């Protein structure tokens, strides 16, 4: 049986639910095993206990059963005052299957005037992502630079031109793939995004990846790879090796900006991309031996 929530936990829960609502998540579901509980329980850090990332949805999927919060609970955000709970499903798997998440919905949830983290202060345009919403291949970069910030599009500056060459060398065009970043607003002076910024923005990236459901994700540089792989290890430890991101093949390679500074690393990147091409059945552009500079 569930137990009554303390006021402190109710407040934590309300805060967390507000956050989920901010990023567009409004519905939670529980499975048959947890339907006996009359009251939502929370774990020690205040997160709803039944969330279980990595697990699969129960089959057949159970119709959601609303669960009322204890009556002493502080007012919750609208539409969250009746709280069904997820059990046995990752939050994002559940979102996709239940709410039919789409890039348009994610972009609407994010908004164009987001102030969720401090990066908004120096932003001109938020850079959501660009390309084929059903792409088999997604490139994930770090965060917008100056040109991207001006245009509201990812990888349109010098590094972007090199990325375009890489994509074309693979036998594709930019419109065939999807390109996005870990953070959607430009960090000042092109510094690396900070932990709190990544934590605030990356739920949108995760939803983008789940909505697109590509065959392969290519992480450009260490920030993208470390974010998706949830590791602090340097990219050199796993660059060029197949990794997994929630069941999807993930290849980490050097960032095009790094290649502009270190052109001798282009051969390594081309080898990584050839592995990606093999998985996607791409022949590559005739005559492309390597990732050529612009
Ligand atoms: N570098 C990135 O990581 N992303 C961009 O969109 C541009 C440059």
């Amino acid at each position: 049986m569930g137990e009554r929530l303390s006021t402190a936990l109710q407040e934590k829960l309300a805060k967390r639910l507000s956050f989920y609502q901010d990023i567009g998540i409004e519905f939670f579901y529980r499975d048959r095993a947890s339907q006996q509980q009359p009251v939502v329980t929370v774990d020690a850090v205040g997160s709803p206990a039944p969330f279980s990332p990595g697990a699969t949805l129960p089959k057949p999927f159970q119709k959601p059963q609303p669960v009322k919060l204890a009556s002493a609970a502080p007012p919750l955000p609208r539409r969250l005052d009746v709280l069904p709970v997820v059990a046995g499903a990752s939050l994002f798997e559940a979102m996709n299957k239940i709410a039919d998440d789409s890039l348009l919905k994610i972009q609407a949830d994010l908004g164009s005037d987001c102030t969720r983290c401090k990066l908004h202060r120096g932003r001109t345009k938020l850079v959501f992502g660009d390309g084929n919403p059903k792409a088999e291949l997604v490139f994930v970069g770090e965060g917008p630079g100056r040109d991207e910030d001006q245009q509201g599009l990812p990888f349109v500056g010098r590094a972007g031109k090199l990325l375009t060459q890489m994509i074309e060398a693979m036998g594709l065009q930019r419109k065939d793939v999807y390109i996005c970043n870990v953070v959607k607003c430009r960090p000042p002076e092109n510094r690396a995004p900070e932990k709190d910024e990544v934590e605030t923005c990356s739920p949108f990236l995760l939803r983008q990846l789940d909505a697109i459901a590509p065959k392969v994700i290519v992480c450009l540089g260490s920030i993208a790879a470390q974010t998706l792989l949830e590791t602090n290890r340097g990219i050199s430890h796993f660059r060029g090796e197949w990794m997994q991101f929630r069941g999807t093949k993930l290849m980490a390679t050097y960032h095009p900006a790094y290649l502009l500074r270190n052109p001798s690393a282009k051969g390594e990147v081309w080898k990584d991309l050839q592995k990606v091409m093999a998985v996607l059945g791409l022949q590559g552009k005739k005559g492309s031996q390597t990732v050529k500079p612009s």
Side-chain angles (χ1 to χ4, degrees), residues 141-145 148 154-155 159 181 255:
E142 182 175 310
E148 292 77 17
F155 282 97
N181 285 303
H255 194 288

Side-chain angles (χ1 to χ4, degrees), residues 83-98:
L83 175 73
V85 179
V86 170
S90 95
L91 193 55
F92 292 99
E93 277 172 2
M95 275 302 297
N96 262 348
K97 292 196 168 80
I98 295 160

